Each structure stands twice: as C-alpha cells, then as structure tokens.
Amino acid sequence: FFQKTLTAVKNWFTLFGWSKGQNPISVPYSLRRDVCKVQMTSSQEKVFKQNLGKDTKTVYDMLFHLSGQLLPGVTSSQSLPLDPVERMLQLHRQHSALLAFLKSQGAYLPHVMPEFLLEPGDYKKWIKAQTVVKVDVKSSDIFSNKQIFILEDSIFETMSKRAWTDVLLQVYKVFVLPRVSSCSITDLFSLESVQNMPRIKSEPLSSNIYSPYERTILTWLNKHYEKNRRTVWKDCQKGEVPPMRWIVNFDRDLLDGLVLAAQLAAYCPYLIATHFVRMYTTPRTPEQFLHNCLILVNAMHAVSLAIDIKV
C-alpha cells in the first residue's frame, strides 16, 4: 500500500507540481539533493562536487508554483556554505522552516523531524553535532530537551522516504485540494434519484479522517454513480445494473472500478458502448476486479488522460 501511495505521489508531482511542464522527481533522492539552485563546493575538501545550476528546480520552486508563496527565509537563489557542518546546519534550518510553513497552512506533520529530510551523510553530521555538544542539564530543564533519534542507515532511508512522501501528501492537501469548489455542493443531491441517499457532511469537524474538500469529492462520486449507474450498465454484458451504494472512502469503495467508470462516463458517454458495457457489475473474484480495472485504464488511455496509471 505504501509503495502504491509513493508511486501515485511521485507521478502526480512529476506531472503537475511544477511550472513550465513536467519535472521528473524521485522520492526522496532528488528532493533531498535539489534543495538549492546553487551549491557552493570546496575544491580542497572535495566533499560536495555537484553544482546544480540555475535551471535546477527545487522543492521551494514547487511550493511557490502550488501556493504562490515563498518559503520564509529562503531566497530563490539560495546557496549553501562551504563548510560541510555549516551546510548541514543551514539545511536543517531550511527544513525546519519548511515544516513550520506547511503546519501554518494546515498540514499535519507532527511525526516528521527536519533531520529526516536530510541526506544520509548530513544526517550523520547532524547526529554527531548533537551528541558531541556537552550541555549542563539542570533538573528543571530536563523536559525541554529535544529527543534525538539515532537511526541505522537502512532505517534512516526508510524513514526519510516516508517523511518526504508525507510532506508531499500534505502539500497536496493544503494547496491543491482547497481548489475544489464547494459552491454547488447543495445542488449535487437535487436529483430525485439521489434524494433518499445518506449525505456526506461537509462540516469541518464532521470527520477526523477526511478534510471538507475530500468529502466534497466523495459527494461528487456518490452523485455521479447514482445518476449514471442505470444509464451506463442498462445493456451490460456481464450482469445486471449494479445496486445503489454509499461511497464513503477512497479505497475499498473504488476497488471494483464501477464508481470511477460512472464518473468518466458522465463526461465521456461515448466510452459506455466501447468499454464500460463489458464490466462485471457485481464482481466477486480478484479476476473480475482486475478485469474491470483493466477496462477502466484502457478507457482513460482512450481519452488521453495524462496520468501514468498502471494496474
């Protein structure tokens, strides 16, 4: 599940996260590496040879494109110090500023520490810098000391990949999902066929899982599925018209492909006769689920949806 989430995040941000077209990313490697447009190096120490150049796109460019805001304290042509320790400390400060900025916008990232966003070598320097400093801890200060997590190399890589993935997911939540319009939400259930269905509440505190914008999407899914299920599958080849259902999540309720097919049919009705009539309307086996999803993917490819979808 985590790997599928990571792939979806990487594909979306590669395609839509940047100005002036696509920008391939790898999580966490390119995000950790491309932190500044200009990386100053020391020819004597030969510690950091890479010069990214002025055309390199950074995570700060991505944030500016999606939010229209610059990260406080980080300029568009940020450079790093020559000294490896000073460079690491500046990166740690920048990552701290990044997390603070996202949290101020509504992101939920209490489990992500700035050091988890560093390169492995810089993480080791940060651990060393924290452990070599001798502090006279008084009994009254003991609860103010920040806990240090010392992770092995393989565990750190796993933690870093998860941290960067969660950062991107929260960026999507606070800067992309709010663009979903809620002005017509009251009209979504105006049809007679859906008036008796349970409603998805849009109040901010009505769910501790989904945001109001995610619940708006759930409402949209319910509306189009109920409106179109009889039209799409009235001449289905592999069963009867699928029954009414209440769509309340984005995983289990979408597994059989029928709900997404109903959404696509609402905008591309010509796909019904060529694709959707061949779907199982009451799938029960993994093979039938796969059959439906393959048809859905082929339909998306037929209308040239610019999303790299794989089953």
Side-chain angles (χ1 to χ4, degrees):
F1 173 79
F2 174 70
Q3 186 59 45
K4 290 180 179 179
T5 302
L6 174 62
T7 301
V9 168
K10 182 177 67 174
N11 289 342
W12 192 92
F13 279 91
T14 291
L15 292 169
F16 309 115
W18 313 86
S19 61
K20 301 180 181 179
Q22 302 179 13
N23 180 49
I25 66 169
S26 58
V27 183
Y29 310 108
S30 67
L31 297 175
R32 294 188 311 204
R33 182 186 67 238
D34 302 346
V35 286
C36 293
K37 288 183 180 297
V38 180
Q39 304 267 10
M40 302 299 290
T41 65
S42 171
S43 58
Q44 292 81 9
E45 297 180 358
K46 297 181 181 180
V47 175
F48 202 83
K49 295 182 179 180
Q50 186 174 22
N51 190 324
L52 294 174
K54 63 180 181 179
D55 295 328
T56 299
K57 296 181 180 180
T58 72
V59 65
Y60 310 121
D61 295 315
M62 179 192 70
L63 282 176
F64 181 73
H65 172 64
L66 295 177
S67 70
Q69 303 179 60
L70 291 172
L71 190 66
V74 179
T75 64
S76 60
S77 59
Q78 189 78 38
S79 61
L80 297 175
L82 295 174
D83 181 75
V85 175
E86 289 298 321
R87 183 177 67 243
M88 174 273 298
L89 292 175
Q90 178 172 319
L91 284 174
H92 192 275
R93 287 192 293 269
Q94 289 179 196
H95 292 327
S96 297
L98 169 65
L99 294 175
F101 171 70
L102 293 177
K103 291 175 183 177
S104 71
Q105 301 298 314
Y108 186 73
L109 294 165
H111 59 294
V112 177
M113 306 297 178
E115 52 269 25
F116 296 158
L117 305 179
L118 293 170
E119 290 271 18
D122 286 331
Y123 173 73
K124 292 179 180 178
K125 294 185 182 72
W126 184 84
I127 291 295
K128 184 177 180 180
Q130 299 303 306
T131 55
V132 298
V133 176
K134 296 181 179 180
V135 181
D136 183 13
V137 181
K138 298 181 180 179
S139 59
S140 60
D141 298 331
I142 191 168
F143 293 106
S144 64
N145 291 332
K146 182 180 178 181
Q147 185 176 2
I148 302 174
F149 294 92
I150 302 178
L151 307 176
E152 298 178 358
D153 292 350
S154 60
I155 297 178
F156 171 77
E157 282 294 346
T158 300
M159 183 68 74
S160 183
K161 182 181 294 187
R162 179 61 183 267
W164 275 108
T165 302
D166 288 346
V167 165
L168 292 180
L169 285 170
Q170 292 298 308
V171 167
Y172 184 87
K173 185 186 82 170
V174 299
F175 295 130
V176 180
L177 275 184
R179 300 175 189 172
V180 178
S181 174
S182 59
C183 59
S184 61
I185 245 187
T186 55
D187 299 328
L188 292 180
F189 282 90
S190 59
L191 297 173
E192 182 179 355
S193 60
V194 297
Q195 285 180 350
N196 296 327
M197 288 186 62
R199 306 298 177 89
I200 303 292
K201 294 183 179 180
S202 59
E203 290 80 5
L205 299 180
S206 63
S207 173
N208 63 348
I209 300 177
Y210 295 129
S211 69
Y213 312 106
E214 290 169 312
R215 294 197 296 278
T216 298
I217 295 175
L218 287 174
T219 299
W220 173 72
L221 291 173
N222 276 283
K223 176 245 185 179
H224 278 303
Y225 175 76
E226 183 55 29
K227 176 184 176 182
N228 295 318
R229 64 186 177 90
R230 294 185 178 87
T231 303
V232 176
W233 291 287
K234 65 179 180 179
D235 299 319
C236 58
Q237 302 171 1
K238 298 183 182 294
E240 301 175 348
V241 173
M244 177 186 291
R245 67 170 72 175
W246 191 27
I247 303 152
V248 295
N249 59 65
F250 292 101
D251 44 16
R252 184 177 298 274
D253 289 338
L254 305 184
L255 281 177
D256 59 13
L258 295 175
V259 174
L260 293 178
Q263 315 310 308
L264 194 54
Y267 301 96
C268 306
Y270 50 85
L271 292 173
I272 296 175
T274 58
H275 292 78
F276 301 144
V277 293
R278 296 184 284 112
M279 299 178 75
Y280 288 97
T281 54
T282 55
R284 293 183 176 85
T285 67
E287 291 78 13
Q288 292 175 345
F289 277 70
L290 177 61
H291 172 88
N292 282 1
C293 291
L294 286 173
I295 290 178
L296 180 62
V297 170
N298 289 335
M300 291 182 175
H301 288 165
V303 295
S304 300
L305 279 179
I307 303 176
D308 183 19
I309 300 177
K310 297 179 182 179
V311 178

